[in-house]
Amino acid sequence: MEQSNSAHNFKIYNILIVAFVALCCEQILHEVCHGIAALLVGASWDQLWFWASASSWPEGASPGLWQQMIISGSAAVLNILCALVCIALFNRNGMVQKPFVRLFLLYFGGYSLFAGFGYLFFDPIFANPKSAGDWAKIVMLLGGGWNVRLPILLIGVAGTVYGYFWVGKAALQFTSGDMADPVNRKKTGTTLLLLPYLFVNAAFTILAIWHPLGVKGLFVVSLKLWSGFSGFLWAYLIKYQWGKYHGPFANETPIPDQLNRNGLIVAVVMLLVIVFILLPGVRIS
């Protein structure tokens, strides 16, 4: 029994480690994309934080509408592209034998998908002249009317709802014990989807206290974490709580029950870089 409990705990640790690293990657890539986009359209990339990226225009420059839209909107588009790559790779041959890579594809794909389409979902609803959201800025640049908001909103809703089903279906490919047993299946789903939603979101909420925009930034990040990433909660409800089990599946991967020490080292290093470098901010130019 002690060994079984230890193995189960290692499964939880592995999942939380991979989910944490995946969300770190999503957030850093998102902000770096803003900076690179600024450089590509002729602006200066001034500073990078974990939660934000600052850019400016040369003195006397008059940026065009499309240039401002690229800086604001490109990161969400990158999120969506990253999600599509993860979806395409998830069931490729050989992934079954690479459980940690496959777990990373699940979480990085899920976080990227909900982040990218989440901006298109929520920003048109709340957009106003003082909004900090990436696509809220685009909505206002295009006039702020519902002729602009509604098409973007519908794309965001469609992508987000698709994410509920893909994340849930992908999570079902990971096994722990007898998945035909509904009690064990729900326990496994809780480990895969609910625990990362709660614990990783809680860790990132704490990190958001040091957002460069202060309380406003903390609110925006909290909305993204707890509302935008609630897709993991909905995926659990749809596939584990309400849906019928149609397994076993052809490409099932057992959840590793030995601690991934390399993954733990990566997670610790990333946390240290975030706390001591990216939260204070890095001057780029």
Side-chain angles (χ1 to χ4, degrees):
M1 179 64 69
E2 183 178 351
Q3 184 177 4
S4 177
N5 289 338
S6 177
H8 177 67
N9 289 339
F10 283 144
K11 291 178 183 180
I12 294 175
Y13 300 152
N14 287 331
I15 286 169
L16 294 180
I17 287 168
V18 175
F20 177 79
V21 170
L23 188 49
C24 288
C25 290
E26 182 277 321
Q27 180 61 32
I28 293 171
L29 282 175
H30 184 94
E31 300 306 336
V32 168
C33 182
H34 281 306
I36 293 176
L39 293 175
L40 291 176
V41 297
S44 173
W45 183 10
D46 299 326
Q47 195 157 355
L48 172 68
W49 295 273
F50 184 62
W51 297 115
S53 182
S55 59
S56 61
W57 295 95
E59 186 177 354
S62 180
L65 181 67
W66 68 273
Q67 293 170 302
Q68 298 177 65
M69 289 175 60
I70 286 175
I71 295 174
S72 293
S74 58
V77 174
L78 177 64
N79 285 143
I80 294 171
L81 292 176
C82 287
L84 293 176
V85 170
C86 290
I87 291 169
L89 292 176
F90 187 79
N91 283 319
R92 289 289 297 270
N93 293 336
M95 285 300 170
V96 176
Q97 288 76 38
K98 299 176 181 178
F100 291 110
V101 174
R102 210 175 190 210
L103 281 170
F104 181 81
L105 293 175
L106 167 65
Y107 294 115
F108 184 61
Y111 285 129
S112 298
L113 191 151
F114 291 132
F117 284 110
Y119 281 105
L120 276 62
F121 185 167
F122 292 102
D123 283 8
I125 298 174
F126 299 105
N128 64 73
K130 296 182 179 179
S131 295
D134 295 349
W135 276 74
K137 296 176 183 177
I138 291 179
V139 167
M140 299 313 297
L141 285 169
L142 294 176
W146 278 101
N147 61 319
V148 173
R149 295 174 188 252
L150 189 58
I152 297 173
L153 172 62
L154 292 177
I155 294 172
V157 170
T160 300
V161 172
Y162 169 77
Y164 298 165
F165 290 89
W166 180 79
V167 168
K169 182 179 179 181
L172 281 171
Q173 307 298 310
F174 294 96
T175 62
S176 178
D178 182 10
M179 296 299 289
D181 177 6
V183 174
N184 181 69
R185 186 168 64 254
K186 291 177 183 178
K187 180 180 179 181
T188 304
T190 298
T191 303
L192 282 164
L193 299 177
L194 298 188
L195 289 184
Y197 175 71
L198 294 173
F199 286 95
V200 177
N201 276 7
F204 271 62
T205 302
I206 294 172
L207 292 174
I209 294 173
W210 292 275
H211 196 291
L213 294 179
V215 174
K216 184 178 182 180
L218 174 61
F219 173 77
V220 171
V221 170
S222 297
L223 185 66
K224 174 181 177 179
L225 292 172
W226 297 102
S227 184
F229 293 149
S230 65
F232 286 93
L233 170 60
W234 287 109
Y236 169 80
L237 292 174
I238 291 169
K239 290 297 184 179
Y240 288 90
Q241 194 71 32
W242 300 330
K244 293 183 179 179
Y245 179 62
H246 299 291
F249 303 97
N251 296 318
E252 291 185 340
T253 299
I255 301 173
D257 57 7
Q258 298 293 319
L259 183 63
N260 182 3
R261 291 181 173 84
N262 291 335
L264 179 59
I265 293 172
V266 170
V268 170
V269 170
M270 292 189 80
L271 180 60
L272 293 174
V273 169
I274 291 166
V275 170
F276 292 105
I277 299 177
L278 294 180
L279 285 182
V282 177
R283 194 75 186 173
I284 305 297
S285 62

